[in-house]
Amino acid sequence: MFQQDDSTFLMLDSALFYKRAFMHLELSDSNYKYCPSRDEWDKIEKINEFLHVFYDITCVFSKTKHPTANLYFPYVFTAHLTLQKGLKSDDAYIVNMAEKMFTKFDKYWSEFSMILAIAVILDPRYKMSFVEWCYNKLHGDDGVNESTKVKDKLVSLFNEYANDGIKNYSSISSTRRAGDGGSETIDETSFSTTSRDVLSEFDSFHRVIVPQKTQLELYLEDPRIDRRNISLDVLSYWKANQFRYPEVAAMARDIFGIPISSVASESAFSVGGRVLDQYRSSLKPDIIEALICTRDWLYGEQEKSAISLEELTEDIMDMSLHSITDHGAQNSYSVG
C-alpha cells in the first residue's frame, strides 16, 4: 500500500534530480540493469508533482513554529482541489492513489469547522472573496450557498463581540460620568421648540443619509493586501490595527489561537497504517519515563563524545589488518 509522507516525496524528488545520471549509467555500464524505463520516469514525475502539494502542507503545518488557524483553509482547499484533479487523471495509478487518499481526506473536509473558514477571512490577504472563490471552484454554482453560510456565521459571531464591546464601553462611560472630573452634560429640555426641532431634523437626516457601517464591514471593504509581494504576520497586523478595529481584532485574537488539527499532519493524508503498534501505544507514563531515562544513562555519554571520521577510519583499517593477519596465521597453521 502506498504511503504518502515526506520521505516518499523527497526520495522521488532526489531520483528525478539524478535522472540523467541514471540514464547515462545505463548506457555506460553493462552490469547496470535496473534503470527505470521512460514510462516509469513519466510515472515518477506525475507522482512527484501530485505529492508535492501535500509535502508543502506538511512543511507549513509542522515546520512552522506557531501555525495560526488562518493557514488551514487555503492549504486544505489546495489538497481538496488536487485530489479532485487526481480522480479525473488519465493515469490509472494516479486515480487509484487519489481514491485511497480522498477516502481519508474526506473526513477532514466533511467535518470541516466553519470557524476555520472565518479565520482565513480575518487574514487581510484573503478576506471573503477568497472563500467565495474556493467554494465556487469546488462546487460550482452551489458554492454560493456554502459561502453565504460562512458569511452569515461571521456576521453572527461579530455581533456577539460587538455587543460585548458596547457593554464594556457603556460601563466605562458610566464610570467616567460618575467621576468628579467628567464633563458637564447639556439639558436640551430647556431649549426652545424651534431649536429642538432643528436638532431633531439633523438626527433624522444623519440616520437616513449616512448609515453607520460596522467595523467588520469597514474591514471587509478595505483593499486586500497583496499576498504575492508581502510576507505578512497576521498577529502583528491585528496588533497594529487593534485600535482601528477593536472588536474585529478581539475576534481575530480568539480565532487564531485555535489549533489547526488535533492529529499529526504527517499522518493526515497518509493511506498507510499507524507507526505505533498496540503494545507501544499502551505504555504507561512511568514505563515511558523509565525507558527514556535508561537510554539516557546508557548512551548519554557516548552520544556526547561523538567519534570523529579519522578515528572511525583508523578503527576500520585496524580491523582489516587484524583480519588479514589472523587469516594468514590460520593458513600457515593448516599448511604446517
Side-chain angles (χ1 to χ4, degrees):
M1 183 177 292
F2 184 83
Q3 181 173 351
Q4 194 280 314
D5 53 11
D6 290 359
S7 58
T8 303
F9 167 76
L10 293 173
M11 285 189 293
L12 293 178
D13 197 52
S14 300
L16 288 173
F17 182 79
Y18 294 104
K19 175 182 176 181
R20 295 181 62 183
F22 283 119
M23 298 178 70
H24 178 73
L25 186 61
E26 182 185 25
L27 297 175
S28 59
D29 189 350
S30 59
N31 294 323
Y32 184 70
K33 302 177 181 179
Y34 300 100
C35 183
S37 64
R38 188 173 299 276
D39 292 338
E40 289 174 330
W41 280 119
D42 293 339
K43 181 181 291 186
I44 290 174
E45 289 178 354
K46 291 179 181 179
I47 297 173
N48 182 74
E49 183 180 359
F50 183 79
L51 296 182
H52 202 163
V53 174
F54 301 95
Y55 175 75
D56 292 339
I57 295 174
T58 303
C59 291
V60 171
F61 287 1
S62 294
K63 297 181 181 179
T64 304
K65 211 169 202 181
H66 305 288
T68 47
N70 61 302
L71 298 175
Y72 183 92
F73 191 89
Y75 290 98
V76 174
F77 160 74
T78 304
H80 195 170
L81 198 63
T82 302
L83 290 174
Q84 280 191 345
K85 292 180 179 178
L87 294 174
K88 301 176 183 177
S89 175
D90 298 332
D91 193 320
Y93 186 84
I94 296 294
V95 173
N96 184 39
M97 181 170 60
E99 287 176 350
K100 293 180 180 179
M101 295 177 69
F102 194 83
T103 301
K104 190 168 186 179
F105 171 83
D106 188 54
K107 181 182 70 172
Y108 294 91
W109 186 262
S110 61
E111 298 178 1
F112 175 73
S113 177
M114 197 174 292
I115 197 70
L116 295 173
I118 294 176
V120 78
I121 298 175
L122 296 176
D123 189 328
R125 296 167 294 184
Y126 297 98
K127 296 194 175 181
M128 189 66 210
S129 57
F130 179 75
V131 175
E132 294 173 349
W133 177 78
C134 288
Y135 281 120
N136 182 60
K137 292 279 288 184
L138 292 176
H139 307 293
D141 296 335
D142 296 335
V144 177
N145 297 329
E146 298 295 330
S147 58
T148 302
K149 292 178 184 178
V150 175
K151 188 170 185 179
D152 292 342
K153 188 68 174 179
L154 171 66
V155 174
S156 175
L157 182 62
F158 170 76
N159 290 335
E160 295 183 12
Y161 279 84
N163 292 333
D164 290 341
I166 291 173
K167 293 177 183 178
N168 295 333
Y169 177 78
S170 300
S171 62
I172 294 174
S173 300
S174 60
T175 303
R176 288 180 177 177
R177 286 196 297 269
D180 296 334
S183 60
E184 296 182 0
T185 58
I186 299 175
D187 185 11
E188 294 186 359
T189 57
S190 61
F191 287 3
S192 65
T193 305
T194 304
S195 298
R196 292 199 303 270
D197 291 343
V198 170
L199 295 176
S200 298
E201 183 181 354
F202 167 75
D203 294 337
S204 302
F205 171 80
H206 183 72
R207 284 197 301 270
V208 174
I209 303 302
V210 189
Q212 185 177 3
K213 295 183 178 180
T214 64
Q215 294 179 20
L216 180 62
E217 291 173 334
L218 293 173
Y219 162 72
L220 294 176
E221 289 179 358
D222 280 347
R224 289 188 300 107
I225 296 177
D226 191 353
R227 55 174 297 275
R228 296 171 299 178
N229 300 328
I230 298 179
S231 178
L232 180 70
D233 183 355
V234 291
L235 297 181
S236 299
Y237 171 85
W238 282 112
K239 185 177 181 180
N241 288 272
Q242 61 181 325
F243 299 107
R244 185 182 180 188
Y245 308 116
E247 295 159 5
V248 185
M251 184 169 62
R253 177 197 60 199
D254 295 339
I255 292 176
F256 287 160
I258 299 174
I260 289 180
S261 176
S262 60
V263 299
S265 58
E266 291 85 351
S267 62
F269 307 107
S270 172
V271 297
R274 296 292 183 183
V275 176
L276 294 180
D277 55 24
Q278 58 178 339
Y279 303 106
R280 293 180 62 188
S281 60
S282 61
L283 290 176
K284 295 182 178 180
D286 54 344
I287 301 298
I288 296 177
E289 183 180 359
L291 291 173
I292 294 175
C293 291
T294 304
R295 180 184 180 279
D296 184 52
W297 295 335
L298 292 176
Y299 304 105
E301 296 298 329
Q302 296 181 15
E303 291 178 356
K304 291 180 182 179
S305 57
I307 302 176
S308 62
L309 180 61
E310 291 78 7
E311 294 177 355
L312 182 61
T313 306
E314 186 177 350
D315 291 341
I316 294 174
M317 294 299 295
D318 290 341
M319 290 174 61
S320 300
L321 291 174
H322 289 316
S323 62
I324 294 173
T325 305
D326 295 340
H327 183 68
Q330 290 176 359
N331 289 339
S332 61
Y333 180 78
S334 60
V335 172

